[in-house]
Amino acid sequence: MSPADTGASTVVGAATSSSSDSSDSRMAPGGPGYGRMRLALFLAGVATFALLYSTQALLPLISDDFGVAASEASWTVAAATGGLALFVLPMSALSERFGRRTVMTASLAVAVTVGMLVPFAPSLGVLVVLRALQGAAVAGVPASATAYLAEEVRPRALVTAIGLFVAGNSVGGMSGRVITGWVAQEWGWRVAVGVVGAVAVACAVAFRLLLPAPKHFTPGSLRPRVLARAVRDHLANPLLGRLYAIGALFMTVFGGVYTVIGYRLTEEPFGLPQGIIGSIFLVYLVGTASASAAGRLVGRLGRRGALYLAGGTTATGLLLSLTVWLPLVLLGLVLITGGFFAGHAVASSAVSKTATTGRAQAAALYQSTYYIGSSVGSTLGATAFHAGGWAGTVGVGLLAVLGVVAITVFGSHAARVAARREPVGAH
């Protein structure tokens, strides 16, 4: 099986295959600083993703407060993810020059400062601008965290350390939505986002106090020409291009569904209160499990087989969500979430495995297209809901899944063509 087919992360794969000895001064389980580092990056992930999606569960309340439709309120989510998408590549370059811890600290400081201003937004336009600034600021965390771990942690401990950071991401995204749902039910959306902002401040302060100073960072160059060359080479790689598109399409489904689901569940025949709607985001725990299982899926089915399964699971969930029986709608959300996280894990890890040079830029490009997909999904899903109800949002999602399947089929064809040519070139 080719490297791209394994679905394993290059950073992790390379690290676990390299030898580790007693002279290695990097952090390891049980060693100085390791526990502090793990907790610090977990808290950074919680703060980042709690802030990034803090308004998503509150969109019906924001619509009521400002007197706007779902398609307009959805910009409070799309602006944040769009800001992250636009700035994750520049932030990765800054971290190469000024250091991972410095960039992450500055990012969180700006993001939490903006977060404390969000509850006082006097209009939807101001709220959208603040959310865009917030998304741009937090881009420095995902752009730097994995690089910090790869430099400062011993190879055999790297998988666990990265896994905890990813867990912090999912816990932050989930808890931000759940907390805001229950708080908003009693005190309104402004107090809810204020509470999330306060939690993020505490996490950011603890992160800075806990994270050990880097010992193995070597400053790089900020030469635009070097960065542009790496980006151009990655975009010209057909396999990477397909993986970027797959990540964006999966996130289009996910962004659309979770931006609009609150509106659907507040309406009849469901009529659920805001707190219960926020708690529905606990289904993210299913996604954490399916992402963890993605490596085993790839081992059994291959990368493309795992993508077919993830796409089929997502499509089945979309179709089930069309029913008006709440248990089936919830089952549909479980399948959508599980399929999305599995597909995202397969595609993102394959990016790292495929890129042989400029891996930080390759990963940043994936994150950029991934969050562009989130912004597009939030906007298109809400617009479709306004025009055609939940069926319109599901239609957008099914088209995105069809795109994943088409790209994967094309990739299979390209792989077969390359395999037929390989023996000829070998002689």
Side-chain angles (χ1 to χ4, degrees), residues 78-175:
T81 54
L84 190 152
L86 290 175
F87 279 83
V88 68
L89 189 58
M91 287 292 191
S92 71
L94 289 175
S95 79
E96 294 283 355
R97 179 66 183 87
F98 298 108
R100 321 303 184 188
R101 189 172 75 157
T102 299
V103 170
M104 285 190 285
T105 300
S107 291
L108 286 173
V110 174
V112 298
T113 300
V114 175
M116 298 312 292
L117 298 175
V118 166
F120 304 101
S123 66
L124 181 64
V126 172
L127 179 58
V128 169
V129 170
L130 290 173
R131 294 284 292 148
L133 291 174
Q134 213 169 27
V138 298
V141 178
S144 307
T146 304
Y148 174 92
L149 290 169
E151 292 163 353
E152 304 298 331
V153 175
R154 288 189 190 181
R156 291 182 181 177
L158 191 57
V159 173
T160 302
I162 290 177
L164 191 63
F165 174 67
V166 173
N169 296 348
S170 61
V171 168
M174 177 187 70
S175 61

Side-chain angles (χ1 to χ4, degrees), residues 37-361:
M37 175 275 300
R38 289 183 66 191
L39 178 57
L41 288 177
F42 176 83
L43 293 173
V46 170
T48 297
F49 287 88
L51 289 172
L52 189 66
Y53 291 104
S54 59
T55 63
Q56 193 172 55
L58 305 174
L59 293 179
L61 297 179
I62 292 172
S63 287
D64 291 342
D65 190 16
F66 292 120
V68 298
S71 56
E72 295 172 273
S74 69
W75 278 103
T76 65
V77 179
T81 54
L84 190 152
L86 290 175
F87 279 83
V88 68
L89 189 58
M91 287 292 191
S92 71
L94 289 175
S95 79
E96 294 283 355
R97 179 66 183 87
F98 298 108
R100 321 303 184 188
R101 189 172 75 157
T102 299
V103 170
M104 285 190 285
T105 300
S107 291
L108 286 173
V110 174
V112 298
T113 300
V114 175
M116 298 312 292
L117 298 175
V118 166
F120 304 101
S123 66
L124 181 64
V126 172
L127 179 58
V128 169
V129 170
L130 290 173
R131 294 284 292 148
L133 291 174
Q134 213 169 27
V138 298
V141 178
S144 307
T146 304
Y148 174 92
L149 290 169
E151 292 163 353
E152 304 298 331
V153 175
R154 288 189 190 181
R156 291 182 181 177
L158 191 57
V159 173
T160 302
I162 290 177
L164 191 63
F165 174 67
V166 173
N169 296 348
S170 61
V171 168
M174 177 187 70
S175 61
R177 294 164 168 98
V178 173
I179 291 170
T180 55
W182 284 105
V183 174
Q185 182 172 305
E186 297 296 328
W187 295 289
W189 73 267
R190 294 179 187 272
V191 174
V193 293
V195 169
V196 170
V199 170
V201 169
C203 289
V205 171
F207 160 81
R208 186 61 181 83
L209 293 174
L210 289 168
L211 190 69
K215 297 180 179 179
H216 302 277
F217 170 72
T218 302
S221 172
L222 270 179
R223 287 180 296 172
R225 215 176 265 182
V226 175
L227 179 62
R229 186 183 306 118
V231 171
R232 184 181 65 245
D233 290 346
H234 293 323
L235 292 177
N237 183 314
L239 176 54
L240 285 177
R242 291 195 293 270
L243 292 170
Y244 294 153
I246 286 171
L249 288 168
F250 267 121
M251 193 53 161
T252 298
V253 181
F254 198 67
V257 165
Y258 278 100
T259 295
V260 174
I261 191 64
Y263 289 97
R264 188 187 186 208
L265 295 180
T266 57
E267 295 178 350
E268 294 301 330
F270 306 108
L272 298 182
Q274 189 66 43
I276 297 296
I277 291 172
S279 297
I280 284 172
F281 288 94
L282 288 168
V283 78
Y284 268 39
L285 295 173
V286 174
T288 302
S290 69
S292 301
R296 295 192 296 273
L297 283 176
V298 170
R300 294 180 180 180
L301 305 175
R303 175 174 53 80
R304 288 182 287 273
L307 287 173
Y308 287 133
L309 179 60
T313 301
T314 304
T316 301
L318 287 167
L319 293 172
L320 282 177
S321 73
L322 287 168
T323 67
V324 292
W325 189 39
L326 186 59
L328 276 184
V329 174
L330 296 178
L331 176 60
L333 290 176
V334 166
L335 294 178
I336 292 166
T337 304
F340 158 74
F341 272 101
H344 166 47
V346 172
S348 61
S349 59
V351 167
S352 295
K353 191 68 177 177
T354 301
T356 55
T357 59
R359 287 170 181 151
Q361 284 73 41

